Each structure stands twice: as structure tokens, then as C-alpha cells.
């Protein structure tokens, strides 16, 4: 009974990603999209927080949105899996529910 | 009436008047209530500010929609989950919130509280127990 969580806000703008990570259950997936992809970057003030809170879950980032923002694929933090739109759709279908953190 | 009853959770994470999210959520809840589904509301992060008592929007020239929460019981929306940590972080207690009740038709219409204060971990369980989660 896993949930796919999507986060579309920058963690430097508000608490949405942190709140999401505080409510996930083991086995859930968190997909960072739109401005949410800034939460997937390595070397930021929040990288360790995200990695630590995401210990029991799977972290993903949408490649189209990192590309759009000029973030090199090499800057995506370790433990975060890049996915494309097709994989996004598959994930939505394979989870029991999708919860969008706005 | 639909034969399949699904569990719907409306997640409120925004304060009431700075954006339209809170008011729109309430509109959708009232519409959804007409479809005889198992509806719950969650209030966390700034969403807990939606339930404070004493809201007076007259000077601001806004519509005060906070009394509507007290009418939800008439639409059989009787589960308002409020996160303790979100209250604590904002210096709020249950006393700062409206007294929202519903009449339990299965218990001689006794008035019972609609607000259920839960921990963050319990809120995560509530979310994971739903068929559909709608965020505002």
C-alpha cells in the first residue's frame, strides 16, 4: 500500500518538501517535479536533510524539469533516481495513490 | 447512490486568506459531500490557521468562510484531523480553534467533536489509509 508523493515547490522557498518527508511511510516514493527539483541537488544546505529524511523511501526527480532549469544530471544528489515522463506515468499507476504536495 | 464508497482525504496546508486555496478546498468538500463518500479533512502546517476562532474579516473586506466548518457535520463530514506538531510549532492549542461538532445520528443525535488531534505519525497513517488524497 505505497503512496507516490509529488513535490513541486523549491525547499528553499517553503516547507513543502520537509513536510512531505515528515509524513511519508516506509516504501513510499517521493518524486520532485517543477521547482521541487531544486530539492534533489547535491551540495546544497538541504542535501543532507533530504537524504537523511529519505532513508526509508525512494527519491526521484523528473529529468525534463532539471534540464529545463539548467541543472546538470551530475548535480543530482546520490540516492535520487532521475525519471522521465513515461516513468512518471508508470509510477502513478503502480502506486496505490498519488498525493500532490502543493 | 453510488455503491462503491471510497475514502477521500482533503489535505489543507495553507493559511485561510493569503491565497484562495483554503476557500476552494471548502467548496470542493461541500460538493464532494453530495456524493456519499467517506470524507475526511486534514489540517497541517499553516492549514491549522484555517480553524482558529474569532476570525473577523470585515475590515479586510474578505468573505469570512470559517463558520462553514461548523456546518460540515450537516453534510456528514465529521472527521477533521488536526496535527498536534503543526499547532505546537505555531504556538496554538485546541483552545485557539473553533468548537466544531456534529450530531451523531447513530447515538440519539448526541453532539460530538469533529476535530481529532493527531500526531504527525498518526497523520501519516491517516494519509496512507485513503483511496484518494486531494491537496489544497
Amino acid at each position: 500500500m505505497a503512496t507516490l508523493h509529488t513535490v513541486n515547490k523549491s525547499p528553499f522557498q517553503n516547507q513543502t518538501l520537509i513536510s512531505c518527508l515528515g509524513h511519508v511511510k516506509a516504501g513510499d516514493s517521493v518524486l520532485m517535479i517543477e521547482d521541487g527539483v531544486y530539492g534533489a541537488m547535491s551540495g546544497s544546505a538541504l542535501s543532507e536533510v533530504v537524504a537523511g529524511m529519505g532513508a526509508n523511501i525512494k527519491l526521484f526527480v523528473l529529468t525534463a524539469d532539471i534540464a529545463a532549469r539548467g541543472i546538470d544530471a551530475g548535480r543530482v544528489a546520490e540516492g535520487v533516481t532521475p525519471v522521465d515522463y513515461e516513468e512518471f506515468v508508470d509510477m502513478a499507476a503502480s502506486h496505490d495513490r498519488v498525493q500532490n504536495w502543493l | 447512490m453510488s455503491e462503491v464508497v471510497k475514502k477521500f482525504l482533503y489535505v489543507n496546508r495553507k493559511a485561510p486568506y493569503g491565497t484562495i486555496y483554503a476557500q476552494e478546498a471548502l467548496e470542493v468538500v461541500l460538493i464532494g459531500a453530495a456524493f456519499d463518500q467517506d470524507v475526511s479533512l486534514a489540517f497541517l502546517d499553516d492549514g491549522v490557521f484555517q480553524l482558529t476562532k474569532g476570525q473577523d474579516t470585515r475590515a479586510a473586506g474578505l468573505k469570512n468562510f470559517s463558520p462553514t466548518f461548523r456546518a460540515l457535520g450537516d453534510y456528514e463530514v465529521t472527521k477533521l484531523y488536526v496535527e498536534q506538531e503543526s499547532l505546537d510549532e505555531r504556538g496554538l492549542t485546541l483552545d485557539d480553534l473553533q468548537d466544531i461538532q456534529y450530531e451523531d445520528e447513530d447515538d440519539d443525535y448526541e453532539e460530538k467533536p469533529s476535530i481529532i488531534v493527531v500526531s504527525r505519525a498518526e497523520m501519516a497513517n491517516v494519509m496512507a489509509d485513503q483511496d484518494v488524497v486531494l491537496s489544497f
Side-chain angles (χ1 to χ4, degrees):
Chain A
M1 291 298 285
T3 301
L4 170 63
H5 303 264
T6 70
V7 175
N8 74 341
K9 301 290 191 300
S10 165
F12 305 101
Q13 172 83 6
N14 61 39
Q15 293 284 314
T16 301
L17 177 61
I18 299 300
S19 187
C20 169
L21 292 173
H23 290 89
V24 292
K25 306 279 287 180
D28 283 358
S29 300
V30 174
L31 172 60
M32 292 169 269
I33 63 173
E34 302 169 18
D35 282 352
V37 302
Y38 292 117
M41 290 169 62
S42 61
S44 83
L46 287 171
S47 298
E48 286 188 23
V49 177
V50 172
M53 293 184 80
N56 296 318
I57 58 160
K58 286 166 277 182
L59 294 167
F60 300 90
V61 66
L62 193 64
T63 51
D65 287 332
I66 58 170
R69 287 160 180 77
I71 303 169
D72 189 89
R75 287 295 304 277
V76 173
E78 204 175 316
V80 180
T81 306
V83 294
D84 60 21
Y85 277 115
E86 277 192 31
E87 290 166 308
F88 184 177
V89 173
D90 290 340
M91 289 169 70
S94 66
H95 287 71
D96 296 296
R97 69 193 69 72
V98 179
Q99 181 166 356
N100 303 301
W101 292 77
L102 304 178
Chain B
M1 196 208 296
S2 166
E3 304 230 339
V4 179
V5 175
K6 288 193 172 187
K7 291 175 75 93
F8 282 74
L9 179 69
Y10 295 87
V11 178
N12 293 278
R13 293 186 48 248
K14 305 245 192 326
Y17 299 107
T19 64
I20 198 71
Y21 282 95
Q23 196 177 338
E24 288 290 315
L26 206 41
E27 299 273 357
V28 174
V29 167
L30 291 171
I31 294 165
F35 292 92
D36 294 316
Q37 301 296 309
D38 182 356
V39 172
S40 304
L41 275 63
F43 296 87
L44 57 151
D45 299 334
D46 277 357
V48 298
F49 286 130
Q50 293 181 30
L51 298 176
T52 55
K53 58 187 170 195
Q55 294 179 25
D56 181 352
T57 59
R58 285 172 297 181
L62 299 163
K63 176 187 164 71
N64 182 359
F65 57 88
S66 67
T68 312
F69 289 113
R70 296 200 300 274
L72 289 176
D74 297 337
Y75 297 85
E76 294 180 15
V77 177
T78 61
K79 291 171 288 188
L80 276 58
Y81 295 97
V82 176
E83 188 176 276
Q84 183 71 59
E85 286 88 337
S86 298
L87 291 173
D88 293 344
E89 287 161 6
R90 289 158 182 80
L92 297 175
T93 68
L94 193 54
D95 277 346
D96 294 307
L97 307 185
Q98 293 192 77
D99 184 18
I100 301 172
Q101 302 198 326
Y102 72 99
E103 294 179 347
D104 187 350
E105 62 182 16
D106 296 325
D107 191 8
D108 199 23
Y109 295 91
E110 191 182 340
E111 291 208 328
K112 297 183 177 178
S114 296
I115 290 181
I116 306 159
V117 178
V118 296
S119 69
R120 187 160 287 162
E122 289 168 335
M123 184 65 89
N125 290 335
V126 169
M127 290 170 168
D129 189 39
Q130 304 297 319
D131 293 305
V132 180
V133 179
L134 297 164
S135 299
F136 292 89

